[in-house]
Structures are given as C-alpha cells and as structure tokens.
Amino acid sequence: MQTRNITFTVNGKEVSVNVDVRESLLEVLRNRLHLTGTKKGCEVGECGACTVIINGETVDSCIYLAIWADGKEIRTIEGEEKNGNLSRIQQAFVDEGAIQCGFCTPGFVMSATVLVESGEKLSREEIKKGMAGNLCRCTGYQNIVRAVEKVMEENLQAK
Amino acid sequence: MHTVGTKVQRVDAVAKVRGQAKYVDDLSTENMLVAKVFRSTVANGWVKSIDVSKAKALPGVELVVTYEDVPRIPFTTAGHPWSLDPEKQDVADRLLLTQRIRFYGDEIAAVVAVDELTAKKALELIEVEYEEYEPILTVEDALKEGATELHEGTGNILKKTEWQVGDLEAAFAKADCVFEDEFVTSRVQHCHLENQISFAYQESDGRIVVVSSTQIPHIVRRVVAQALGIPWGKVKVIKPYIGGGFGNRQDVVQEPLNAFLATLTGGRPVKLEYSREENFTTTRTRHPIHFKIRTGVMKDGTIVARDLEAISPIGGYASHGHAIVANAGTKYRSLYSQEAIRYKGTTVYTTTPVTGAMRAYGIPQVKFALESHIEDIARAIGMDPIAFREKNLVKEGWVDPISGNRVNSNGIRECIKRGRELIRWDEKKAQLKNQTGPKRRGLGMACFSYNSGTYPLFEIAGARIVLNQDGSVQLQIGATEIGQGADTTLGQIAAEAMGIPFDKVHVISTQDTDVTPFDTGAYASRQTYVSGMAVKKAGEEVKAKILERAHRMTDIPLQALDVVNGWVVWAHSGEQVMSVEEVAMDSYYNELTAAPITADVSNNCRVNSFSFGCTFVEVEVDMPLGKVEILEIYNVHDSGKIVNPLLAEGQVHGGVSMGIGYALSEQLLLDQKTGRPLNGNLLDYKLGTIMDTPDIGVAFVETYEPTGPFGAKALGEPPAITPAPAIRNAILDATGVKFNELPMNPQRLVEKFKAAGLI
C-alpha cells in the first residue's frame, strides 16, 4: 500500500492526513476525518450524494482521489452552518419541505450553495441544470427547486 | 385542531440538512470487518465445485464461507407479519447461501476481510465451476414442457389465486358490448439513494445485534432468528435514519447472512454493504405483470362484468411474490362497481431478479391495465371517458364483498372535479381538436382507490409516551421513519391527542427492537392510519392521566377540565387552571402519590379505509423523436384529513415523479440470452433527473374518515399509482395510438407511430 501525506483545508481548518493513494476524497472525509454528512450512493459519480465544494466548484468526492485534494480548499455540509445558524440555503431546504429521507440532502445543499453564491438570478431551467448531477428519489425535486429560487429571490431583493 | 392539519417543520429536517442525521454507515466503527458476497455469473444452474483456498490465503481475509457452511434452514425474506396459521405463512424457499443458482447474481459464498478492497480481491480469487442450464426469463420459458424446475415439485408455479363475485357468465351474456385487451408492465427498481446496508455484531452474552437500513425492524428480528435457528429474543435490530425504502426494505435482504457472519468473527462487527449495482439486481424489483382483461358494458355505460387474469414472472425466490399479484386483484375490485367480477392471479418462478414490495404493491401495475382499458372502452362506446368513470365509481357505503372493508369517506368525484379544473380540461379539449403535424398534444386522466393498511390481514401497531417533568413527552413508536415523514406526522397526532404543543413532543426516531413498541413497520401506507391510531390511543391515555391528577390536585370535577396547548383548563371557558408541567412535577415528586405519567399501548387495528385520487396530465408528443413532454400534471388526493400539508405535498411530488419514470423511461433490462442485468446502474437505468421532472401540481380533497385518527387515511404510496395510465391515455388522446406496454419509451413510441403510419 502506497501512502502519501496531504494537507488541505476542510471547512476553513487545515488538516494533514496520511492517505492510501488509492483512496477517494469521500473515503478520507468519511472514514478518516469522520465527516459523515457527505454520503455515498453509487461510488461512480452518478448520484451526487457525495457532492462537496473544492475551490469553489462542486465535485463528486467519490471519484476524486484524495491526493488531488492536496493544497485545496474543501467545503462539506458540516461547515455550512455558522455559529449555530443554518446557512440561508439550508434554512430554505427546511422551510420549503425539500427534505425527506435526507440522504441526498447534503449533496443537494452543496450544489445549491454554489448556485446561490454565484449572485446570479438564474432561471428555473438554469437552476435545474446546475443540480442535474444530484439524484433524489423522494421529493420529485419540486421543493428543492423552490428552496433555491427562494434564496435567489431574497438575494435579488437584498441588492 | 391545533397541530393536526398544520405545516409543522419536520422533526428531522435540521439534523438532515446539517448532515448530522446518522444513517447505518455513519454509525460504523473503525475496527469493523467488511463482508462481500460472491455471486453467480450464470442465471440458472448448480455449483459443481468451488475452491476458496486462494481467497482464504489472501492476507487480511478473516473468513470465507460457502453454501456448505450455512445452516440447512429454509427461510423467507418477505417482510410480512408472522402468521400463526402455517397455511398463511410465506414460502420459505431460501438458504443463506446456495448451491442451486436461481438468478444471475445468486449468493454462493461470502468473504469477510479487514477492509473492502481486500474483500473484493478475495472474491476474485474464488474459483467456481457451474453446471449451467438455460436461463428462464419469461413465464412461457418457465411453464414450457421440460423446463428446469427452480424449486423442486413446483412446476415453477409459486401460487395461483382465484376469486369470483356474482354470476360472471350471466353478466357477460347480458352486456351490450364486451371488450378484451392485454397489458404488460415492466421490471423497475426502487433506487433509494442509500444502498442496502447493515452491520452486525455479537454481544458478550451471545445476543446478535443487527443495525440495518430496514423499514421493518421487528420483522427483521424474527427473520434473522428463523434463518439462524436461534430464539427470537437473541436478536436485536436497530434501525437508524435510512435513505429511502419504497418497499425494497420491506424485505429482509442481507441481514440474516450478515448476522450469521457476525457469529463467526469472535465478536468483531461485520459490515455488509451492497454496491449500487448489487442494489439494482440482487435486492428486489417491482413485478412485471401481464394482464388479460375482459369487460362487459351496457350501452348507457354501465359496467356489468369484469374478468382479469394476471401472470407474473417473480424471479428466483418467492419473497413477497404472490401477495403482490393477489393484492392487484383486491384493489381491482374497489374502484368501480359491477354485477359480477372475477380475478385469476398466477405467479411463476423465473431466473430473473427477485421481485418484492415496491410503492403501492401491485397497484401501479393493475391500474395501468385497468385505467387504460377503461379509457379505451369509453372511447369505443362514444362516451366521455370522465363521465364513463363517474357513472361506475363506487359510492360511500360500498362494501368490498370479499374483504368486508367499507367505503366510509369518498372524495373521488370531487378529486376528478378539481383535477379537471386545474388542468382546464374542457377548455383545452376544445382547443386540441383536429391536430396535424409531427408534434401533438393530448389530455389524459386516471383514477385509483387504495387501502390504508392491510386489514383484514393482520394489523398491529404500538406507541409509548412518557411525560417529562417539564410537561414535554417522549414519543416512542414502532412505526418507522423512512423519509416519508412518519415521525413528524405521528408526533402531530400525539400532540393533538394530548393537548400539548408540538414542540413538546420529542419523537424517538431510532427503533431498537429491545425497547421499541411492537409494530410491523413502514408498508401498505399504514402508518398514519394504523400506527396513528396507536399513537392517538397512547396520547388520550396520557391526557386522561393528566386530567385525573389535576382533578385530584384541585378538586375541580374531572368533566370540567381539558388540556389545551400544554395547560389544564376549564373546559367550558378555556381559563387556565395549571400547566401540564405542574401536573407532571406532582406526578414525579408528590411524596404520597408520585407515579410518573406514561402510556404504553398496542392497537390491533381491525378496520380499513379507502383512499382515492386521480392524475390529470397534458402531454406533447414529438412523434418522430418518440418523445413525450409533460406540459402539466396534477395529482388530486382524497386521503381524508391531511395531518401535515407540507409533508403530504412532498409525498405526492415524489410519488408522481416515480410514476412518470414508470410511464416513460425506467426499465431494468436483462440480456435475453444469459439473464445478465444490462443496465443495473444509475447512469443506464433511466432514473429521472431534476431536468427530466416537470412541475407537479398537487391538490387535496379533505374528507373525514371516521375510522382514522383525526379523520386521516392513507397517502404514502398512492401518488405513484396513476401517472402511468394517465400519461398513456394522454398519448392516446394526442396521437390515437394505444400503448399497452410499459415503459412508453422513445423506441417503443417510434415503432408504433411508424406502424400506425403517423411518421
């Protein structure tokens, strides 16, 4: 087994970890750093349950080698809440009934976060395109779209 | 009502949106061993020889077991309640591992290793020789002369059901017209986002603990014990949050093997997690069913006679096998009335992925056939399809002649009216006449009826409530949260029954069979209705005890008191007497009379109710592309009183999207030569993405069901039932072409449009 020391930032904190070079970022997050909010649904980049944000872009962490994360900034669901307050998109998911079994939720929240932080007012179709890599079997996606639209509306009004 | 009927926030929403909710894998520990199953690469045959020596020799492999090492105890995986009547028990046709191969992916051996990679490598080192037979992929293959028997002595027939009400021949003889047709539904999969997973370990006293992503923890306990041949009390099952179920986890898929492996590792926990590909093809699938239907109608549109035959290839093992085809028959009775009706259902063993429960248990299949057929008849006799349905729908007071279940509340006519308005049916119908060109629009609708739970089959639910010192309560339920919102809904029912605010109800989400009240679990859309009755009963008992103590504390007559919003009040005026907290403190610490207030109830539910509803849809069909675009879709439901409108709406969204996938894209394909699954992954199996899913309209017609808790009846499964036939009828409306087979995917559409000369 070949290992390598890597250092990256997770949710604003620098971590150094010795990883098996074959390990995915998902495995390192879940098994070594105990950040189990990021989920595993397929391990081949089909379902989006493992979505995290790396240097501002959403990535399926199940098909992203941990060694590639060396030196990068990673955001996971655990870091989205600040000082005990849910992020606005998290709160919108709660308020709009966008959560059912919850297994896809962290991945969706990460995808939605990048969309709402873009500062753009996206159309419904554009929002959908931005989250097309995340699958959900419970909600029919309706209230997830509604949650994103709500935060975008609020952003627009705040400007 | 204060809480029932309001959009309270899901009790688990914050934990889930923070990523804090713990699912099975999130609870695993670092020293856990990993198990993997060695599966057959043929669909039908025997293992002639197996050599596991190389696998055993691989460093890091703790254990390799084969079919030679498992108990010789046949068991069933079907997640039904146990029956004391041997005749009613499920067919026990499985061993933990098998030498006889009955489908591609059947379980021959298992490896336990220090990590996943080692376990996977070990699988590759197992050498096996097969004696291979022809795969049996269809009913015809299974029943033809000389077909190999999958289970000895069965002739490949699992079971036949037949019933008849009324004089069928006389009713057909009387009919002005008789219509016959055939319909075929497809094999689809649940695709819950969390794959099947469990881990198991043995405690120092020898008891086995299984932590599982199940919908039915108490049933898992029983089946694990049966499969291992140990007393039921030696097994404890824990169910944390789970990532969806939709019926797939109403089967005890991998827990018995997992528990068995845990008995061989000297106490070290063993995890058995299925890959997405295993989840697709070696857990359970929805029954494909072939229907032959015959209906006799009078000129005025009265249905007088109906005859339906269903036959289904159920896969290599019985599981829920026959019950689902039988249930399709039961629900075919209860939407329209007629003078005579007959049903024949047959289930056949085939070397295909095992079928089992999937959202609405046989009803999406039978309603696809029935509501398509009804549409065709209406058109054939020149009657408006809605008027034809309305003429024949069952009314309040209708009693099912076989089950004895009675329609006490029935909002179907109002549902149809609402759906018709929402989609602007009449206006659009007028606009859509005389279309030409490659793209055409059409309108369709379909209706359903459904039950709330399984009565007259066995129904039992349990609830326990403990009043805390501060006037809040713990609510413990045997019903399981699988994403549908049961914890929240049952919490609302508890709050309403006790007269305390919802935020004072702490719902214990995790089930642990050692301490959780007995309940058979999440299936049959039963929990709001059946488990809700138990929760209401427990809540009423707690409330009665609060009032009794308040009466003793104050000398105010019992009948003059009530509990409202966490206060004991004068019933007539609402004037506050004392807080529930004060009563609770007295119950804990009164030196003479202390007796903390609790209730621990079970409810043997001996009643059922009918939910109703319909789908209205408008489609645009691009005939050269074979593409169906859903322009508008509405589901309207009579589920009695809606306990939580926000969660209820979410249930409908999810069910409708699943129904759309069933209609247009989803199908698990098997290689016709080998039986090997071709598209058992989320990329090739066309599960609808957010881009594919249209806006879904939802409406409720709230009737009051007198038998249900606060008037509620079933909602969970019904939204998935009618989208497929409604879309089929809309495609017919647009193009004049009948599609009698699911899914209505581009290839099938283009072929039929070509044959019809439309393209």
Side-chain angles (χ1 to χ4, degrees), chain B residues 49 59-60 100 121 155 179 196 216 247 287 342 364 386 408 485 513 552 557:
Chain B
S49 65
R100 173 73 172 97
K121 278 189 171 171
F179 296 91
Q196 198 71 18
I216 47 166
H287 292 54
R342 182 170 70 171
I386 296 179
N408 293 310
T513 54
R552 278 191 275 143

Side-chain angles (χ1 to χ4, degrees), chain B residues 434-479:
Chain B
N434 307 320
Q435 295 179 79
T436 53
K439 283 188 182 182
R440 295 187 196 171
R441 292 184 175 195
L443 290 166
M445 60 88 66
C447 305
F448 71 85
S449 65
Y450 202 73
N451 275 151
S452 310
T454 64
Y455 184 80
L457 300 176
F458 180 55
E459 275 296 1
I460 192 158
R464 187 180 299 135
I465 297 177
V466 175
L467 179 66
N468 295 324
Q469 289 89 335
D470 63 357
S472 67
V473 299
Q474 271 80 253
L475 170 65
Q476 223 179 342
I477 40 185

Side-chain angles (χ1 to χ4, degrees), chain B residues 602-656:
Chain B
S602 193
N603 189 56
N604 180 355
C605 167
R606 300 192 55 77
V607 67
N608 209 323
S609 64
F610 290 88
S611 286
F612 295 95
C614 55
T615 300
F616 277 78
V617 64
E618 182 184 14
V619 300
E620 182 172 85
V621 186
D622 184 327
M623 294 191 292
L625 287 181
K627 188 166 175 274
V628 177
E629 190 184 347
I630 292 171
L631 302 175
E632 287 186 54
I633 187 163
Y634 298 93
N635 254 45
V636 189
H637 290 261
D638 162 21
S639 290
K641 175 71 186 170
I642 299 298
V643 178
N644 186 318
L646 186 63
L647 296 188
E649 190 191 56
Q651 280 298 288
V652 180
H653 289 154
V656 170

